[in-house]
Amino acid sequence: MLRTLLVLLTFTVCQGNEHICALHFDMQYGGLFADCTGRKIQHVPDYLPENITALDMSENDLKSLTNNTFYKFRKLIYLNINMNPLSELEPGAFRGLFSLTKLLLARNKLRSDKVSFPEEVFRDLVSLQTLNLEKTEMKSYPDWVFPPLVKLHSLYIDSVPDPLFGPGFSNLTNLKVLQMDSRFIYGGKCSTEKLRNETFQSLNETKLEVLVLNHCGIKDCEPGVLEPLLFLKQLELTHNRIGNHNALRLLYPFVNLNMTRIWFNATYKHKMHDEKDLVDKSLTKESMRYLNKICVTEVSLRSNQLYLVEYAAVYQDPFERCLKVLDVSDNFFVGDFVVLFFLVRFSHLEYFNCSLQKIDGDFPRTQNYETLGKSISVTLTLPPKIRYFGLIDISGGSHTIKEIVFQNTHNLETVLLASYLVHGLMHIGGLENVSNVDLSGNKFDNVFDFHSFENATHLSLRNCKLQFAHKSFSEHSVFSPLKSIQYLDVSKNELTDISLRPISNTIIHLNLSHNEFDTIPIETIDYPRLILIDMSFNLIGQLDKGTRSKLDLSFEKNNLKLIFKGNTFSCSCENLDFILWLVDTPVIYETDKNFPCILDNGTMTSTVDVVQHHERLFRYCTGKLMLSITVTLMVVMFTSIIAVYIVSNNPVRYRNALLKLFGLGIQYLTAKDFDFTFFVAYCAADVPFVYRKVRPELELCNQPVRLFLKDRDVLPGVPIADGIICGITNSWKSVLVISDDFLQDCSQWSQFTIDAALYSVTDLIPNRIIVLLVGPLQVEDLPERLLNVVEEKCILRAEDYQDDGDRILWKDLR
């Protein structure tokens, strides 16, 4: 109670001053914690309580620490002076800190001289267990200051180009952890370029267990550099340029010993100069001769551009007996797929990853796959304790694999089979109890049996060619076996309007990104646990009112969110309410909600800009609508007035026209109502054509029609004019056989025949005149009065039918 009152009193007195430190009780160090972070302080405050156990002075302006700076704070256990321009320490700067266990001096300007590190500066730090000197300006290690740190357990020290741990480090008999890599915590780059056999010589009595030296780009490493570190359990030497074989040769001091971790990720040589550098891209029995004799729990050889692994290089004891974690992912293995069938020999293996790391867009979207053999079934027997299994096809070729069966999967939790080398996959057996499955990149040429993953909670089918069977994926039998699914990824599949229903109501996250959906393809209210749908990079232009209402309801029930980035919306007048909803609704995952938007005139803008000027856009849209309505009403009104005026002056005529439109009141005349079907008009020069061609094909055929021919059917003594008129009147239609001679007839009977035929035209007989052109005569040579009456489809040219034969001509005429 007294401690709490003291904190409150101190806070009240100091309130309102930005340079005053904050105090609170800290359970970790069992006392008061003074937080002076980022207050631009140039000196350690002397007003702080003497009983503080933790002090954070990071991100200030401390340039030097004078003698007895912390003398009054003798109970300090934790001291953080990171990220200051600190360059000078006086010999008694840390005097009296006998209880201090953790000292952080990273990101300062300390140099490797006696101005920054006087000989007795660490004399009183007899309880110090953790010291951080990362990211300073040291060029070498000031070993003269380390002898008093007899209890030091973890040392995080800056990297230097040519590191050498001098005799002063030999007193650190309790040192267990040495880290020379500040990349992940403080940024920057490791500057170590060379490791010599003498680098760690003074640490031979320290019993060091953990050595971390990552991201240094080391090019020169002598083979005996690790000899003094016989107690080493964890070795991290990643992202260097030593070379795979050279890195593995460093392990000879640990033969027949036990280790927990060896990480040689990305240690390959970046430039190949000769054949030896090419061999460095393989794991051979020779290069693995030391690692195979170490009982190591975890080995990682990621990102080493390895192409080949010899069988004898890995399947040896004690390596295969002790190994629990093996990561050889992000390499480019080729060779025989059969090497995986002996994986069961790693009797204690729990984690195996041989997958090529993929990012979105790496899998080809369209590619021709050629089967190198028949469709096959593959059985893989896994180690009995395996929990994670990640694999790509290491054979270097494309296979049609119909079925994959896994054995020994009672402990298996995660399976990664993401690649683009397997297609035609229809079933995977043995994974009924696996919770996390990734099949991305494989091509399902047939409907896949999802009963294989009935208990899976995470399933990724990214870029699996699911667009091949839209109909199949809309059936109820496709996703219904996924009873426990929580995360489903079907992105990058070119899906359009397929229905993904039904999905289990256990679904929480649904990834539909990089497809071609133009709306939300599921009823969100049917999924009470669904909290996130990724619809990014689709073709959504707008959402209708019903869909928006359902999304809002889903947000109220289970806080559903939608990811919409990568879609271009329509900001047309009819979608203005959608844009306003888009910016106002809490359903959208993105915080700024500033999406691309296209206006009616094709101009690109943004949704936020539209909302900010929505009143102006609303007036424009309203004015545009009112103008259309007004113009329409005016046109209707004037049209109605004119129609009423015309009809009122001719009521009977328009009444009959209306009846004719509906097929009432007027009956059309047919051929049965006449004595003759056709009246054939011709001149004397065309008599042979009429009697040798027209008459046989129309009157003497299987389906004859009755013709009126003036030379035959006009009775003797009847005037020619009366005969022509009588023939036209008693015939259903008139066929005018017109040639150059017909138009140039000096007797004028041809012109009389045309006039008589024109006078016979009536609405009761549609298309009553048919013109048959004979010879080179063209349509434009016909009399204008004839062209004004006869429709173009009723003008036939005999010349046009020469290639097809006369039969089609008479068929068209009939």
Side-chain angles (χ1 to χ4, degrees), residues 470 472-475 479 496-502 517 521-522:
H470 288 182
S472 299
F473 268 81
S474 64
E475 296 175 356
F479 287 114
T496 54
D497 56 351
I498 71 167
S499 172
L500 297 177
R501 299 183 66 190
F517 292 111
I522 64 170

Side-chain angles (χ1 to χ4, degrees), residues 223-224 226-227 235 244-259 262 264 283-296 299 312-314 316-320:
L226 299 180
E227 280 187 6
L235 174 61
N244 297 320
H245 287 196
N246 291 336
L248 291 170
R249 290 192 188 101
L250 300 178
L251 299 175
Y252 77 86
F254 312 109
V255 170
N256 298 325
L257 298 179
N258 297 335
M259 296 186 71
I262 297 176
F264 285 158
L283 294 181
T284 64
K285 183 178 179 180
E286 172 65 20
S287 64
M288 292 281 288
R289 67 185 186 276
Y290 301 130
L291 181 58
N292 279 329
K293 296 178 182 179
I294 302 174
C295 185
V296 59
V299 172
V314 291
Q316 290 193 22
D317 198 60
F319 182 72
E320 64 179 11

